[in-house]
Structures are given as C-alpha cells and as structure tokens.
Amino acid sequence: MTLYSPETTWIAILGGGFSGSILAGGSVFQFDLWNMGSKKLPIQVLVTGKRAGLMAEAGTAMAVLLVTGCRTAREMDGITSSGLDWELSFGGDADAVVKSGASVFKEVMKAAGKQTGEWALHESGKRLAQYIVGDLGVVQQGRQFNLLPTPISASIGAGIFYEWQKLHVLDGEIGWNYISPEYSVENRSGNVYMRMKNIPVKDGTTIHLGFGVDEWGIDGNIKWTPTSSGPRIGRSRLHIDCAVYGGELYQSFNRNEQPGINLSQLQPAGRSEAGMLTVSNTKEVAKNGKLTIYPRIFKFTNYPYWSADDTMTVHVDGKGRFTKVDGTTSFRD
C-alpha cells in the first residue's frame, strides 16, 4: 500500500521568502504548508525543537517540511517527532540519494521563484513529495511530519539534528511565544507611518495594535478616538484593529493598498494605566511636544501578547496627533 496520498500530504520549503528563527536552547521554523490535493489555501505552522538546530556552511540553507496522514489543520496540530537524524536516515546510500534528488529540488526552487506560494501545485512540487516518501524512505504510516534539509543544502554540508520536535498550527497565542515581529516607523509627506513584518498569525487575521508610553513609574497605554479617515479602533480604544497578510500589517482588509498604518490619522484621547488591582483612565493628551512610546500587540483589553523591547520618540501637535518621528526607519525587533 502506497504511503503517498495527495489529499493527506502537505509540503513546505524554508527559504525562498519563508522565514525562520533559531532561539537559545532550541530551534523554531515557520512554514506555509501547501496541500498536494484539492485544498488551495496554505496552513501556517511552527516547528519547534529542543536541541540544536540548523547548520549551514553556505549563506542560504533550504529545508523541507513534509506532513503526511492529515486532511485538516486540526489533525496535524501537536504532532511530535523525536530522535530524527537526517544524515543517518539513508544508511549507506546517502550519497546516491542526495545526487538523485538534487535535480528535483532545483526544479521546485525554479517554480517557487516564479509562482510564489503556488509552487506546491506545480508538477515539480508533486514529484518532490513523491521523492521524499519513496526514495528517502523516511515516511511511515499514520500522522507524522519530517523536517529535512534539501539535497542542495546537504551537498554543501548543511544538516538538521533534533532530539525532539513538535508541530504547532499557527493560531492564537502560540506564534507570539516563539516569534517576535519587526517594525519600522518613517516620516512620509508630513505623516508618521508604521510598518510591521514577520507577524506570526494567519492571513486575514485582525490584530490589536497599540502603544505604550515609556516614562518613569507605571507605563500607560495611549487611548484613541475614532476618526473618519483613520484605521478602525477596537472596542477598548486601546486597540487599533489592523489586518495581516503575508505577515505584514495593513490598515484595512484591502490587500491592494500599501502595507502600513498612518499613525497621524489617529486622534489620541488620553491614556490608560493598569495597576496591581485597578485600571485608571485619563483624558490627558500630550500636546506640542514629544512622546517616548513603544508598539504593543494586545490580546484583549490591556493584556499584551507582545511589547517591543526598544522605544521611539514622536512629535505631537496641538491636538496630540503624531507629526514626526525621530531616528531611523530600519526594521527592528
């Protein structure tokens, strides 16, 4: 009985536009998983490991994630894999297998460069899945995943070694536990714009963006009031409700617009300070001066998933609106 079934087989490549991180004490990879059958939308997942990680002598190392035996995201969430050592998976035929598979990977990477995420639906993507299941022989019956370096990387000395791995479907709080987004703030035509990338949520997700005021004592969060031209404000008014596509921040669910938020279109309406047992709200707004602030992503009300480690200084006008930001515009954690 064949182990390859398109409807229950999912594949992803790390590299060629996909991002990943190596954390102290373990490894974390983020993938877009594409189905080999009839499902047309990807599933975003994290693979976490408890032991060292990714090694590559070349500047760009590719890895492939293959999930088998699963029809839905729910079925693959929480699958574990332990004791995987890729270099020993092929026994004495490692060199021959690597050489025979290199051409398949090159075809896939060529298709990936032309078709973005739809590379998995290309004929070469299907051959790649069949190659891993058949020639490599690492796939067994049942629900499982295998994270492997490509023969292209292996030929220059790359390897992946794990003692224990777990696959998480990227949803809810799990992504924020492992991956921090990067943000950039810039002055543009008299307005202050903010961009954010590597946001660990699925496409079409709404996230709650806000800003803490960095000052001595208890840091407060800026409250906002809705404006006709600005982005949506969440119910708590600490939240700027933003859309996410491709890991980037958008002001609305219109993917044709430029990514980023025009912060100058927002009207500050005060601040909220959370104490040990209470939350105090004020209508005080800084005017005609400067504010030292940092972005935050809120789970609900004033409880954040994530807060930036560094701060930025913004100038405010007589109404308290942002007019200019000091410093560089490069992306930072």
Side-chain angles (χ1 to χ4, degrees):
M1 182 173 63
T2 179
L3 295 174
Y4 176 71
S5 171
E7 291 297 326
T8 60
T9 302
W10 304 74
I11 194 168
I13 294 178
L14 175 68
F18 297 93
S19 62
S21 301
I22 297 179
L23 306 180
S27 298
V28 178
F29 300 95
Q30 182 176 350
F31 293 93
D32 281 359
L33 270 175
W34 293 83
N35 183 248
M36 296 286 96
S38 60
K39 302 174 183 64
K40 302 303 181 185
L41 295 178
I43 294 174
Q44 293 181 315
V45 300
L46 292 178
V47 176
T48 61
K50 285 191 175 180
R51 190 163 68 89
L54 177 64
M55 297 178 293
E57 296 174 6
T60 57
M62 300 294 178
V64 169
L65 174 66
L66 186 76
V67 178
T68 53
C70 299
R71 293 183 178 274
T72 65
R74 179 177 296 181
E75 291 180 2
M76 68 179 70
D77 188 36
I79 299 176
T80 60
S81 176
S82 60
L84 176 64
D85 184 336
W86 178 78
E87 285 192 343
L88 298 180
S89 297
F90 312 115
D93 298 326
D95 291 340
V97 173
V98 166
K99 290 177 181 178
S100 67
S103 61
V104 179
F105 281 95
K106 289 178 181 178
E107 287 184 53
V108 171
M109 296 315 301
K110 184 178 180 179
K114 293 181 179 179
Q115 304 182 39
T116 62
E118 295 181 358
W119 62 267
L121 307 179
H122 190 266
E123 187 63 31
S124 60
K126 298 177 182 178
R127 286 201 297 272
L128 174 59
Q130 292 171 337
Y131 162 78
I132 296 174
V133 173
D135 291 351
L136 297 191
V138 297
V139 176
Q140 305 297 322
Q141 291 285 356
R143 298 185 307 129
Q144 65 178 285
F145 72 88
N146 286 279
L147 180 61
L148 305 167
T150 69
I152 295 175
S153 294
S155 65
I156 55 176
I160 294 182
F161 303 89
Y162 286 92
E163 189 173 58
W164 183 84
Q165 302 165 315
K166 190 171 184 178
L167 187 148
H168 310 268
V169 174
L170 197 58
D171 195 13
E173 194 168 358
I174 182 64
W176 299 102
N177 289 336
Y178 291 99
I179 294 179
S180 293
E182 297 178 69
Y183 73 93
S184 171
V185 184
E186 62 185 75
N187 300 307
R188 192 190 308 170
S189 302
N191 293 318
V192 177
Y193 278 81
M194 176 176 180
R195 292 187 61 189
M196 187 176 288
K197 66 180 184 179
N198 294 338
I199 304 173
V201 300
K202 298 183 295 185
D203 282 2
T205 299
T206 297
I207 65 171
H208 307 306
L209 172 68
F211 291 90
V213 181
D214 185 36
E215 56 191 5
W216 187 85
I218 299 176
D219 291 357
N221 296 305
I222 296 177
K223 294 194 304 180
W224 309 95
T225 187
T227 62
S228 58
S229 59
R232 295 173 299 148
I233 304 297
R235 289 183 180 181
S236 74
R237 299 197 176 183
L238 295 175
H239 306 158
I240 307 164
D241 287 345
C242 308
V244 177
Y245 289 103
E248 289 206 56
L249 199 66
Y250 285 79
Q251 189 157 306
S252 72
F253 285 93
N254 180 9
R255 298 187 66 175
N256 294 322
E257 68 183 15
Q258 292 295 317
I261 305 295
N262 187 346
L263 300 177
S264 297
Q265 289 183 335
L266 296 163
Q267 176 59 60
R271 65 176 63 189
S272 177
E273 297 179 348
M276 292 294 293
L277 300 174
T278 61
V279 176
S280 61
N281 293 284
T282 74
K283 295 182 179 180
E284 297 177 3
V285 176
K287 299 178 181 179
N288 295 318
K290 296 182 180 180
L291 274 178
T292 302
I293 60 176
Y294 54 94
R296 313 185 81 181
I297 302 298
F298 291 95
K299 182 177 182 180
F300 57 85
T301 60
N302 61 355
Y303 179 78
Y305 274 130
W306 169 83
S307 295
D309 293 331
D310 54 0
T311 62
M312 57 187 179
T313 300
V314 293
H315 297 247
V316 295
D317 62 15
K319 294 184 178 180
R321 295 189 180 183
F322 298 172
T323 59
K324 186 175 70 171
V325 62
D326 292 341
T328 63
T329 63
S330 60
F331 281 96
R332 50 194 173 180
D333 291 334

PDB file of all heavy atoms in Angstrom, residues 212-215 222 268 271 285-287 289-294 312-316 320 322 324 326:
ATOM      1  N   GLY A 212       2.408  51.864  24.113  1.00  0.00           N
ATOM      2  CA  GLY A 212       2.668  52.217  25.496  1.00  0.00           C
ATOM      3  C   GLY A 212       3.489  53.486  25.558  1.00  0.00           C
ATOM      4  O   GLY A 212       4.310  53.753  24.668  1.00  0.00           O
ATOM      5  N   VAL A 213       3.284  54.279  26.600  1.00  0.00           N
ATOM      6  CA  VAL A 213       4.062  55.496  26.825  1.00  0.00           C
ATOM      7  C   VAL A 213       5.161  55.170  27.819  1.00  0.00           C
ATOM      8  O   VAL A 213       4.891  54.792  28.960  1.00  0.00           O
ATOM      9  CB  VAL A 213       3.169  56.638  27.363  1.00  0.00           C
ATOM     10  CG1 VAL A 213       3.997  57.900  27.577  1.00  0.00           C
ATOM     11  CG2 VAL A 213       2.020  56.907  26.404  1.00  0.00           C
ATOM     12  N   ASP A 214       6.394  55.293  27.384  1.00  0.00           N
ATOM     13  CA  ASP A 214       7.538  54.924  28.209  1.00  0.00           C
ATOM     14  C   ASP A 214       7.921  56.101  29.099  1.00  0.00           C
ATOM     15  O   ASP A 214       8.384  57.133  28.627  1.00  0.00           O
ATOM     16  CB  ASP A 214       8.715  54.538  27.306  1.00  0.00           C
ATOM     17  CG  ASP A 214       9.902  54.014  28.112  1.00  0.00           C
ATOM     18  OD1 ASP A 214       9.674  53.339  29.119  1.00  0.00           O
ATOM     19  OD2 ASP A 214      11.044  54.308  27.724  1.00  0.00           O
ATOM     20  N   GLU A 215       7.719  55.945  30.392  1.00  0.00           N
ATOM     21  CA  GLU A 215       8.030  57.022  31.335  1.00  0.00           C
ATOM     22  C   GLU A 215       8.305  56.426  32.706  1.00  0.00           C
ATOM     23  O   GLU A 215       8.057  55.248  32.947  1.00  0.00           O
ATOM     24  CB  GLU A 215       6.881  58.026  31.403  1.00  0.00           C
ATOM     25  CG  GLU A 215       5.542  57.414  31.751  1.00  0.00           C
ATOM     26  CD  GLU A 215       4.382  58.371  31.551  1.00  0.00           C
ATOM     27  OE1 GLU A 215       4.622  59.479  31.048  1.00  0.00           O
ATOM     28  OE2 GLU A 215       3.248  58.014  31.871  1.00  0.00           O
ATOM     29  N   ILE A 222      -1.694  54.516  25.278  1.00  0.00           N
ATOM     30  CA  ILE A 222      -2.455  55.595  24.648  1.00  0.00           C
ATOM     31  C   ILE A 222      -3.856  55.117  24.307  1.00  0.00           C
ATOM     32  O   ILE A 222      -4.046  54.020  23.769  1.00  0.00           O
ATOM     33  CB  ILE A 222      -1.738  56.083  23.378  1.00  0.00           C
ATOM     34  CG1 ILE A 222      -0.379  56.699  23.741  1.00  0.00           C
ATOM     35  CG2 ILE A 222      -2.588  57.099  22.622  1.00  0.00           C
ATOM     36  CD1 ILE A 222       0.427  57.146  22.541  1.00  0.00           C
ATOM     37  N   PRO A 268      -5.234  60.758  19.483  1.00  0.00           N
ATOM     38  CA  PRO A 268      -5.121  60.337  20.886  1.00  0.00           C
ATOM     39  C   PRO A 268      -6.206  60.965  21.735  1.00  0.00           C
ATOM     40  O   PRO A 268      -6.581  62.128  21.527  1.00  0.00           O
ATOM     41  CB  PRO A 268      -3.732  60.848  21.279  1.00  0.00           C
ATOM     42  CG  PRO A 268      -2.982  60.968  19.992  1.00  0.00           C
ATOM     43  CD  PRO A 268      -4.006  61.398  18.994  1.00  0.00           C
ATOM     44  N   ARG A 271      -4.988  58.340  28.146  1.00  0.00           N
ATOM     45  CA  ARG A 271      -4.174  57.153  28.411  1.00  0.00           C
ATOM     46  C   ARG A 271      -4.840  56.280  29.467  1.00  0.00           C
ATOM     47  O   ARG A 271      -5.695  56.736  30.226  1.00  0.00           O
ATOM     48  CB  ARG A 271      -2.769  57.542  28.851  1.00  0.00           C
ATOM     49  CG  ARG A 271      -2.705  58.282  30.181  1.00  0.00           C
ATOM     50  CD  ARG A 271      -1.261  58.548  30.594  1.00  0.00           C
ATOM     51  NE  ARG A 271      -0.582  59.421  29.641  1.00  0.00           N
ATOM     52  CZ  ARG A 271       0.712  59.679  29.667  1.00  0.00           C
ATOM     53  NH1 ARG A 271       1.484  59.117  30.585  1.00  0.00           N
ATOM     54  NH2 ARG A 271       1.252  60.500  28.800  1.00  0.00           N
ATOM     55  N   VAL A 285      -3.758  64.363  27.161  1.00  0.00           N
ATOM     56  CA  VAL A 285      -3.068  64.105  25.904  1.00  0.00           C
ATOM     57  C   VAL A 285      -1.882  65.050  25.804  1.00  0.00           C
ATOM     58  O   VAL A 285      -2.031  66.263  26.000  1.00  0.00           O
ATOM     59  CB  VAL A 285      -4.003  64.320  24.698  1.00  0.00           C
ATOM     60  CG1 VAL A 285      -3.237  64.139  23.393  1.00  0.00           C
ATOM     61  CG2 VAL A 285      -5.184  63.368  24.747  1.00  0.00           C
ATOM     62  N   ALA A 286      -0.707  64.507  25.517  1.00  0.00           N
ATOM     63  CA  ALA A 286       0.467  65.356  25.328  1.00  0.00           C
ATOM     64  C   ALA A 286       0.286  66.194  24.069  1.00  0.00           C
ATOM     65  O   ALA A 286      -0.130  65.685  23.025  1.00  0.00           O
ATOM     66  CB  ALA A 286       1.717  64.493  25.203  1.00  0.00           C
ATOM     67  N   LYS A 287       0.576  67.496  24.147  1.00  0.00           N
ATOM     68  CA  LYS A 287       0.400  68.405  23.015  1.00  0.00           C
ATOM     69  C   LYS A 287       1.652  69.243  22.826  1.00  0.00           C
ATOM     70  O   LYS A 287       2.335  69.598  23.781  1.00  0.00           O
ATOM     71  CB  LYS A 287      -0.807  69.325  23.251  1.00  0.00           C
ATOM     72  CG  LYS A 287      -2.123  68.584  23.407  1.00  0.00           C
ATOM     73  CD  LYS A 287      -3.265  69.557  23.688  1.00  0.00           C
ATOM     74  CE  LYS A 287      -4.585  68.830  23.863  1.00  0.00           C
ATOM     75  NZ  LYS A 287      -5.702  69.751  24.164  1.00  0.00           N
ATOM     76  N   GLY A 289       4.646  68.734  21.808  1.00  0.00           N
ATOM     77  CA  GLY A 289       5.860  68.237  22.465  1.00  0.00           C
ATOM     78  C   GLY A 289       6.310  66.916  21.889  1.00  0.00           C
ATOM     79  O   GLY A 289       6.110  66.636  20.705  1.00  0.00           O
ATOM     80  N   LYS A 290       6.925  66.100  22.741  1.00  0.00           N
ATOM     81  CA  LYS A 290       7.439  64.803  22.325  1.00  0.00           C
ATOM     82  C   LYS A 290       6.916  63.713  23.260  1.00  0.00           C
ATOM     83  O   LYS A 290       6.646  63.961  24.433  1.00  0.00           O
ATOM     84  CB  LYS A 290       8.974  64.777  22.336  1.00  0.00           C
ATOM     85  CG  LYS A 290       9.635  65.712  21.347  1.00  0.00           C
ATOM     86  CD  LYS A 290      11.149  65.561  21.426  1.00  0.00           C
ATOM     87  CE  LYS A 290      11.858  66.472  20.460  1.00  0.00           C
ATOM     88  NZ  LYS A 290      13.336  66.299  20.546  1.00  0.00           N
ATOM     89  N   LEU A 291       6.807  62.495  22.704  1.00  0.00           N
ATOM     90  CA  LEU A 291       6.432  61.317  23.477  1.00  0.00           C
ATOM     91  C   LEU A 291       7.420  60.196  23.172  1.00  0.00           C
ATOM     92  O   LEU A 291       7.789  59.980  22.007  1.00  0.00           O
ATOM     93  CB  LEU A 291       5.031  60.840  23.098  1.00  0.00           C
ATOM     94  CG  LEU A 291       3.820  61.466  23.784  1.00  0.00           C
ATOM     95  CD1 LEU A 291       2.551  60.853  23.199  1.00  0.00           C
ATOM     96  CD2 LEU A 291       3.859  61.226  25.281  1.00  0.00           C
ATOM     97  N   THR A 292       7.840  59.479  24.194  1.00  0.00           N
ATOM     98  CA  THR A 292       8.625  58.262  24.007  1.00  0.00           C
ATOM     99  C   THR A 292       7.680  57.081  24.158  1.00  0.00           C
ATOM    100  O   THR A 292       7.106  56.872  25.230  1.00  0.00           O
ATOM    101  CB  THR A 292       9.761  58.171  25.034  1.00  0.00           C
ATOM    102  OG1 THR A 292      10.594  59.324  24.914  1.00  0.00           O
ATOM    103  CG2 THR A 292      10.603  56.920  24.789  1.00  0.00           C
ATOM    104  N   ILE A 293       7.487  56.333  23.080  1.00  0.00           N
ATOM    105  CA  ILE A 293       6.481  55.269  23.077  1.00  0.00           C
ATOM    106  C   ILE A 293       7.071  53.986  22.487  1.00  0.00           C
ATOM    107  O   ILE A 293       8.172  53.989  21.914  1.00  0.00           O
ATOM    108  CB  ILE A 293       5.234  55.677  22.271  1.00  0.00           C
ATOM    109  CG1 ILE A 293       5.622  55.967  20.810  1.00  0.00           C
ATOM    110  CG2 ILE A 293       4.560  56.890  22.897  1.00  0.00           C
ATOM    111  CD1 ILE A 293       4.439  56.280  19.914  1.00  0.00           C
ATOM    112  N   TYR A 294       6.335  52.895  22.625  1.00  0.00           N
ATOM    113  CA  TYR A 294       6.738  51.620  22.029  1.00  0.00           C
ATOM    114  C   TYR A 294       5.481  50.879  21.607  1.00  0.00           C
ATOM    115  O   TYR A 294       4.441  50.954  22.265  1.00  0.00           O
ATOM    116  CB  TYR A 294       7.548  50.775  23.022  1.00  0.00           C
ATOM    117  CG  TYR A 294       6.876  50.539  24.357  1.00  0.00           C
ATOM    118  CD1 TYR A 294       6.111  49.398  24.585  1.00  0.00           C
ATOM    119  CD2 TYR A 294       7.009  51.466  25.388  1.00  0.00           C
ATOM    120  CE1 TYR A 294       5.498  49.177  25.805  1.00  0.00           C
ATOM    121  CE2 TYR A 294       6.400  51.259  26.608  1.00  0.00           C
ATOM    122  CZ  TYR A 294       5.645  50.117  26.826  1.00  0.00           C
ATOM    123  OH  TYR A 294       5.028  49.911  28.034  1.00  0.00           O
ATOM    124  N   MET A 312      10.588  54.587  20.580  1.00  0.00           N
ATOM    125  CA  MET A 312      10.776  55.608  19.560  1.00  0.00           C
ATOM    126  C   MET A 312      10.221  56.920  20.104  1.00  0.00           C
ATOM    127  O   MET A 312       9.354  56.931  20.993  1.00  0.00           O
ATOM    128  CB  MET A 312      10.071  55.221  18.266  1.00  0.00           C
ATOM    129  CG  MET A 312       8.577  54.971  18.415  1.00  0.00           C
ATOM    130  SD  MET A 312       7.877  54.318  16.892  1.00  0.00           S
ATOM    131  CE  MET A 312       6.153  54.105  17.371  1.00  0.00           C
ATOM    132  N   THR A 313      10.733  58.023  19.573  1.00  0.00           N
ATOM    133  CA  THR A 313      10.288  59.347  20.009  1.00  0.00           C
ATOM    134  C   THR A 313       9.484  59.995  18.902  1.00  0.00           C
ATOM    135  O   THR A 313       9.951  60.114  17.765  1.00  0.00           O
ATOM    136  CB  THR A 313      11.494  60.239  20.348  1.00  0.00           C
ATOM    137  OG1 THR A 313      12.239  59.627  21.396  1.00  0.00           O
ATOM    138  CG2 THR A 313      11.036  61.615  20.803  1.00  0.00           C
ATOM    139  N   VAL A 314       8.248  60.387  19.209  1.00  0.00           N
ATOM    140  CA  VAL A 314       7.374  61.041  18.231  1.00  0.00           C
ATOM    141  C   VAL A 314       7.060  62.460  18.687  1.00  0.00           C
ATOM    142  O   VAL A 314       6.969  62.738  19.889  1.00  0.00           O
ATOM    143  CB  VAL A 314       6.064  60.261  18.024  1.00  0.00           C
ATOM    144  CG1 VAL A 314       6.320  58.919  17.359  1.00  0.00           C
ATOM    145  CG2 VAL A 314       5.318  60.066  19.336  1.00  0.00           C
ATOM    146  N   HIS A 315       6.906  63.364  17.723  1.00  0.00           N
ATOM    147  CA  HIS A 315       6.475  64.725  17.987  1.00  0.00           C
ATOM    148  C   HIS A 315       4.955  64.791  17.837  1.00  0.00           C
ATOM    149  O   HIS A 315       4.389  64.135  16.953  1.00  0.00           O
ATOM    150  CB  HIS A 315       7.124  65.691  16.992  1.00  0.00           C
ATOM    151  CG  HIS A 315       8.616  65.739  17.095  1.00  0.00           C
ATOM    152  ND1 HIS A 315       9.308  66.851  17.519  1.00  0.00           N
ATOM    153  CD2 HIS A 315       9.571  64.798  16.823  1.00  0.00           C
ATOM    154  CE1 HIS A 315      10.605  66.613  17.502  1.00  0.00           C
ATOM    155  NE2 HIS A 315      10.789  65.359  17.084  1.00  0.00           N
ATOM    156  N   VAL A 316       4.299  65.564  18.686  1.00  0.00           N
ATOM    157  CA  VAL A 316       2.846  65.699  18.625  1.00  0.00           C
ATOM    158  C   VAL A 316       2.483  67.168  18.448  1.00  0.00           C
ATOM    159  O   VAL A 316       3.191  68.069  18.913  1.00  0.00           O
ATOM    160  CB  VAL A 316       2.175  65.130  19.895  1.00  0.00           C
ATOM    161  CG1 VAL A 316       2.405  63.630  19.991  1.00  0.00           C
ATOM    162  CG2 VAL A 316       2.694  65.814  21.151  1.00  0.00           C
ATOM    163  N   GLY A 320      -2.423  66.708  19.759  1.00  0.00           N
ATOM    164  CA  GLY A 320      -1.853  65.464  20.263  1.00  0.00           C
ATOM    165  C   GLY A 320      -1.567  64.434  19.191  1.00  0.00           C
ATOM    166  O   GLY A 320      -1.125  63.326  19.498  1.00  0.00           O
ATOM    167  N   PHE A 322       0.356  62.580  16.015  1.00  0.00           N
ATOM    168  CA  PHE A 322       1.756  62.368  15.659  1.00  0.00           C
ATOM    169  C   PHE A 322       2.083  63.128  14.379  1.00  0.00           C
ATOM    170  O   PHE A 322       1.357  63.030  13.378  1.00  0.00           O
ATOM    171  CB  PHE A 322       2.047  60.886  15.441  1.00  0.00           C
ATOM    172  CG  PHE A 322       1.825  60.014  16.650  1.00  0.00           C
ATOM    173  CD1 PHE A 322       1.896  58.634  16.556  1.00  0.00           C
ATOM    174  CD2 PHE A 322       1.550  60.558  17.897  1.00  0.00           C
ATOM    175  CE1 PHE A 322       1.697  57.817  17.658  1.00  0.00           C
ATOM    176  CE2 PHE A 322       1.358  59.762  19.017  1.00  0.00           C
ATOM    177  CZ  PHE A 322       1.432  58.383  18.887  1.00  0.00           C
ATOM    178  N   LYS A 324       5.821  63.701  13.512  1.00  0.00           N
ATOM    179  CA  LYS A 324       7.167  63.345  13.074  1.00  0.00           C
ATOM    180  C   LYS A 324       7.756  62.348  14.056  1.00  0.00           C
ATOM    181  O   LYS A 324       7.424  62.356  15.236  1.00  0.00           O
ATOM    182  CB  LYS A 324       8.056  64.592  13.000  1.00  0.00           C
ATOM    183  CG  LYS A 324       9.443  64.347  12.415  1.00  0.00           C
ATOM    184  CD  LYS A 324      10.235  65.644  12.264  1.00  0.00           C
ATOM    185  CE  LYS A 324      10.632  66.206  13.615  1.00  0.00           C
ATOM    186  NZ  LYS A 324      11.578  67.355  13.484  1.00  0.00           N
ATOM    187  N   ASP A 326      11.531  60.693  15.398  1.00  0.00           N
ATOM    188  CA  ASP A 326      12.990  60.825  15.400  1.00  0.00           C
ATOM    189  C   ASP A 326      13.628  59.466  15.156  1.00  0.00           C
ATOM    190  O   ASP A 326      13.076  58.424  15.535  1.00  0.00           O
ATOM    191  CB  ASP A 326      13.481  61.359  16.749  1.00  0.00           C
ATOM    192  CG  ASP A 326      13.066  62.803  16.988  1.00  0.00           C
ATOM    193  OD1 ASP A 326      12.732  63.488  15.998  1.00  0.00           O
ATOM    194  OD2 ASP A 326      13.060  63.231  18.149  1.00  0.00           O
TER     195      ASP A 326
END
